Amino acid sequence: MKDQAPNAPGAMSRLSDAVPPHAWFGVSAVFHYLGPSFAVLLFPVAGVLGIAWFRIASAALIFAPVTRPWQTFRRSTHRERVLLLALGACLAVMNSAFYLALDRLPIALVAAIEFLGTIGIALWGLRTGRNTLALVLAVAGVALLIDIPALLAADGAAMTSDLLGLFWAILNGALFVLYIVLGHRISESGASGGVERLGAAMAAAFLFVMPIGFMQALAAFGAPLLVLAGIGVGICSSVIPYVCDQLAMARLPRASFALLLALLPASATIIGAIVLRQVPGAVDILGVVLVMIGVAVHRPAPPTVPGQTTA
């Protein structure tokens, strides 16, 4: 295609092939929690939905000159446009629901609900006893990291009484599963095409989020540092992790990617120890070890031919 972005053809695919997919996922897992940790600090000054708007708007702005979403939409078939619009709507509502949940519930509980849906995807794609064992180990490790008994005991009653917070967390978890499914669809032609379509979907997400968070975000435009902080949230939360997801999704079956999501609570524990100086206890360390063993035991299926649906 003559009007493709200059640096798009093959560049991302070559980059994806040059590094193991697990490494790309590891980068995504780190930024998956760095971004929200910055966002929560900005909630009081720019509003929850205002920060969600900054996240998507800044990501769309960064993607636009590189991926040229207008060209992607023009070249796409009707079915492909529907897919891009669906992913854009998913990103807009998912990110907004995620922040609304974080504003009311601890991140551990939100992460637990988010991870539950991905277990179904991992189960759907299991084909061997080895991978079943990997899933059991990963789920056990996540359960230790989340400390479900503690959540249901001392603070459980107060948290579960916040039905609105639980609603947003469940909606975010459901849309996160949809993001994985749609994300794999756009990556079927390779990482280069996936990132290009991601840019188009992010442009669509910007249109969807405009009526949701623009009025709250507008109040922050008088403070340049706050605007820069909002852009930083977008880079850390949507640009880096979503691009890395595409680089990993292009080479990993859907079920394998879903199992690797068990690393998210482990990465949160490590980031908490390094950045927030929250030293993990023995149970947390055991949880991290179980997750790492589960991921090491897992063996993904061979990559599918472009255009073929992954399990």
Side-chain angles (χ1 to χ4, degrees):
M1 300 178 212
K2 294 180 182 179
D3 50 5
Q4 240 180 341
N7 57 344
M12 286 295 177
S13 294
R14 290 193 297 271
L15 188 60
S16 173
D17 293 339
V19 179
H22 299 76
W24 291 123
F25 183 87
V27 176
S28 174
V30 170
F31 281 91
H32 188 85
Y33 282 101
L34 276 180
S37 66
F38 296 149
V40 171
L41 297 176
L42 297 174
F43 285 171
V45 289
V48 178
L49 295 178
I51 295 302
W53 183 90
F54 268 113
R55 170 178 178 170
I56 294 174
S58 58
L61 182 64
I62 292 169
F63 275 119
V66 179
T67 62
R68 300 181 184 181
W70 55 91
Q71 292 185 357
T72 302
F73 273 105
R74 189 178 71 244
R75 293 193 306 264
S76 299
T77 64
H78 174 72
R79 185 173 182 178
E80 289 170 340
R81 288 177 188 143
V82 171
L83 173 62
L84 295 175
L85 290 173
L87 180 56
C90 174
L91 291 172
V93 180
M94 179 183 73
N95 291 335
S96 299
F98 182 51
Y99 284 173
L100 287 167
L102 288 180
D103 190 43
R104 292 175 174 270
L105 300 174
I107 194 171
L109 182 56
V110 177
I113 295 173
E114 190 175 60
F115 180 71
L116 287 177
T118 65
I119 294 176
I121 297 178
L123 283 172
W124 181 266
L126 289 176
R127 294 292 184 270
T128 65
R130 180 188 184 115
N131 285 348
T132 303
L133 174 62
L135 179 65
V136 170
L137 290 170
V139 171
V142 169
L144 290 176
L145 287 168
I146 293 171
D147 196 3
I148 294 176
L151 289 174
L152 297 177
D155 299 327
M159 287 188 298
T160 54
S161 66
D162 192 340
L163 297 180
L164 185 57
L166 288 173
F167 167 77
W168 293 123
I170 292 170
L171 178 61
N172 169 67
L175 291 174
F176 192 55
V177 173
L178 182 60
Y179 160 71
I180 296 171
V181 174
L182 297 179
H184 265 88
R185 288 280 180 86
I186 69 171
S187 71
E188 287 177 353
S189 62
S192 292
V195 172
E196 194 174 76
R197 294 184 182 93
L198 174 63
M202 195 62 70
F206 172 68
L207 298 178
F208 284 117
V209 83
M210 182 64 75
I212 297 176
F214 178 68
M215 294 309 296
Q216 282 193 5
L218 190 61
F221 280 99
L225 289 179
L226 190 54
V227 172
L228 290 175
I231 294 173
V233 167
I235 294 173
C236 291
S237 300
S238 291
V239 177
I240 296 176
Y242 289 166
V243 168
C244 288
D245 281 350
Q246 282 302 308
L247 296 177
M249 285 177 175
R251 296 176 59 194
L252 287 172
R254 194 180 302 158
S256 300
F257 186 86
L259 178 64
L260 284 175
L261 291 171
L263 284 172
L264 295 183
S267 68
T269 301
I270 296 171
I271 290 171
I274 297 174
V275 179
L276 303 177
R277 302 186 186 280
Q278 297 174 350
V279 181
V283 174
D284 296 321
I285 294 175
L286 177 60
V288 172
V289 170
L290 286 175
V291 169
M292 297 302 182
I293 293 175
V295 172
V297 167
H298 172 258
R299 285 292 178 271
T304 55
V305 177
Q308 190 177 18
T309 303
T310 53

